[in-house]
Amino acid sequence: MNSKLKKYLILSGLGVSLLLVLALIGFFVVDEIKGGAVGDGQNKYELIIDSGEPSSSVVRELAAAGMIKSSVYFNYLIKFTRAGNKIKQGVYDINDGMSSRKILDVIISGKVKLVNFTVPEGYNNRQIGDLLVSKKLAISREDFLKVAQSPALLTKYNIPAKTLEGYLFPETYSVPLNYPLERITEMMIKRFYKKLESIPEAKDIKPAELHFRVVLASIVEREAVRKEERPMMAGVFLTRIEKNINLESCATIQYLFDKPKKRLFESDLKIVSPYNTYINGGWPPGPISNPGLPALEASFKPMKSDKLFFLLKPDGSHYFSATFKEHLDAKKKFIDVLYQ
């Protein structure tokens, strides 16, 4: 190879390298000018991408919302990275502090917005349904209740009932928007059984025996105010059953109403229903709430005594009595004086 050709090849190589460097610099300059962040992140936008929605529609929405500097550049970025078919449906939290590349990364990685919801201890299935509707995770209460009566789920988890009432564990959950109700429900069932593992007495328990414990826990959950009183309360209900005395639980009456009443009247105690434990002996046909762990523990570890009655005092604690006379005296002392 002569010196002229060698020199020419070297200069050509340097020229190509320089062009590549200039092109790379140009890309980053353009990327910053056309694809940089619009603002400082103060403005937020909830981007909803439907299944099968074309990327051009997504880009138009981002531009209209003021989240990108250039729709032309964003479309070029999608084409350059071959991301057109990688954009995933879902709900995304976008802000104007994100560059075009960052936004594209989010919507192709599927980092969707999560919705948090907390099921309080003692909520029944109707209340959970309303909660999910308020969080836009269910269209209606009825849609959720239909899932909560799913024969497939009842069979899968060997629950001897017509509904999942009692087995949807009260806790805080995080799910994507548009998450299937079946999967949300199953998530709560799995959490119930996971929590049950912390109770030694529940190990290898048969479904029918577990169901009885869940029924008891669900009543205790709705009756108790203070956690330390739950074992004693569970003991009272068990003693009443052993002595063939009706449970006479106000909580089972409250279950009959769409929304709990502030105060029950004599007429309420006469409502004809299998859940009315004032007029029916034995346990109600199923749980009346979804109990938390303390109530479940109380149902497995009840504190037995001679107590047959309890009364809610104004301070939130309960007065436990062994005789009906003692119970009436307590009622006069703590309750009747409030309505004189």
Side-chain angles (χ1 to χ4, degrees):
M1 182 182 295
N2 58 45
S3 59
K4 287 185 178 181
L5 180 59
K6 187 175 182 180
K7 185 177 181 180
Y8 172 78
L9 291 174
I10 291 173
L11 290 173
S12 297
L14 289 173
V16 171
S17 298
L18 181 60
L19 288 174
L20 288 173
V21 170
L22 290 173
L24 191 61
I25 292 173
F27 171 79
F28 282 113
V29 170
V30 173
D31 185 59
E32 180 59 33
I33 295 173
K34 297 292 186 180
V38 175
D40 58 3
Q42 293 296 314
N43 295 318
K44 303 182 186 304
Y45 183 70
E46 187 176 78
L47 176 66
I48 301 175
I49 301 177
D50 295 322
S51 177
E53 185 175 359
S55 60
S56 57
S57 173
V58 175
V59 175
R60 282 196 300 272
E61 185 174 349
L62 287 169
M67 293 293 115
I68 57 176
K69 289 182 175 180
S70 169
S71 56
V72 173
Y73 179 76
F74 202 98
N75 278 316
Y76 164 77
L77 197 62
I78 291 174
K79 187 175 292 185
F80 180 76
T81 57
R82 297 180 179 178
N85 296 324
K86 298 177 183 177
I87 296 174
K88 297 178 175 62
Q89 74 173 97
V91 181
Y92 300 88
D93 278 330
I94 306 296
N95 66 72
D96 65 359
M98 300 166 68
S99 66
S100 291
R101 282 183 289 111
K102 176 62 177 176
I103 293 174
L104 184 59
D105 177 63
V106 167
I107 62 178
I108 67 174
S109 64
K111 298 175 182 176
V112 296
K113 174 183 178 181
L114 294 178
V115 179
N116 298 320
F117 68 94
T118 300
V119 178
E121 294 178 345
Y123 256 32
N124 59 41
N125 286 2
R126 298 188 299 259
Q127 292 171 305
I128 294 177
D130 291 341
L131 173 65
L132 294 178
V133 170
S134 72
K135 292 290 184 176
K136 298 181 180 179
L137 294 170
I139 296 175
S140 69
R141 176 203 283 188
E142 288 68 31
D143 284 348
F144 171 72
L145 292 180
K146 185 176 180 180
V147 174
Q149 296 170 355
S150 165
L153 288 176
L154 290 166
T155 301
K156 180 176 181 179
Y157 291 95
N158 209 1
I159 296 172
K162 296 180 180 180
T163 171
L164 295 167
E165 188 86 77
Y167 295 83
L168 305 179
F169 196 78
E171 203 170 81
T172 297
Y173 299 89
S174 296
V175 297
L177 207 59
N178 299 323
Y179 204 57
L181 278 176
E182 290 80 3
R183 295 180 70 178
I184 293 176
T185 304
E186 193 161 13
M187 183 185 300
M188 290 189 278
I189 300 172
K190 288 180 178 178
R191 193 68 56 87
F192 169 85
Y193 283 104
K194 185 65 178 177
K195 291 292 184 178
L196 204 63
E197 292 176 3
S198 67
I199 304 177
E201 291 81 0
K203 186 178 181 181
D204 299 324
I205 191 170
K206 293 182 178 179
E209 173 65 16
L210 173 59
H211 193 63
F212 148 66
R213 297 291 174 180
V214 173
V215 171
L216 174 57
S218 75
I219 299 173
V220 170
E221 184 67 81
R222 293 301 294 233
E223 289 278 9
V225 177
R226 298 185 177 182
K227 291 183 179 181
E228 64 271 15
E229 292 181 346
R230 286 172 179 160
M232 175 71 82
M233 197 170 284
V236 169
F237 287 127
L238 286 170
T239 301
R240 291 181 73 93
I241 290 293
E242 291 168 3
K243 293 182 178 291
N244 292 316
I245 302 173
N246 289 3
L247 293 179
E248 296 186 350
S249 165
C250 292
T252 63
I253 303 296
Q254 293 282 16
Y255 185 67
L256 303 177
F257 303 109
D258 191 59
K259 293 183 179 180
K261 289 188 172 185
K262 289 184 178 180
R263 186 187 180 192
L264 293 176
F265 295 94
E266 195 69 29
S267 59
D268 296 323
L269 307 184
K270 297 177 182 178
I271 296 174
V272 177
S273 168
Y275 283 92
N276 186 338
T277 56
Y278 276 82
I279 62 177
N280 298 301
W283 302 103
I288 62 167
S289 74
N290 291 282
L293 187 58
L296 285 167
E297 289 175 332
S299 73
F300 280 95
K301 305 173 187 177
M303 185 182 297
K304 297 298 291 292
S305 69
D306 63 344
K307 307 300 183 185
L308 290 171
F309 307 89
F310 56 81
L311 183 80
L312 180 62
K313 298 190 293 184
D315 66 357
S317 65
H318 282 83
Y319 184 89
F320 292 85
S321 308
T323 66
F324 188 57
K325 182 181 182 305
E326 185 184 358
H327 179 66
L328 289 178
D329 290 341
K331 183 175 179 292
K332 290 178 183 178
K333 180 179 180 181
F334 297 111
I335 303 299
D336 291 350
V337 293
L338 299 176
Y339 300 97
Q340 290 178 354

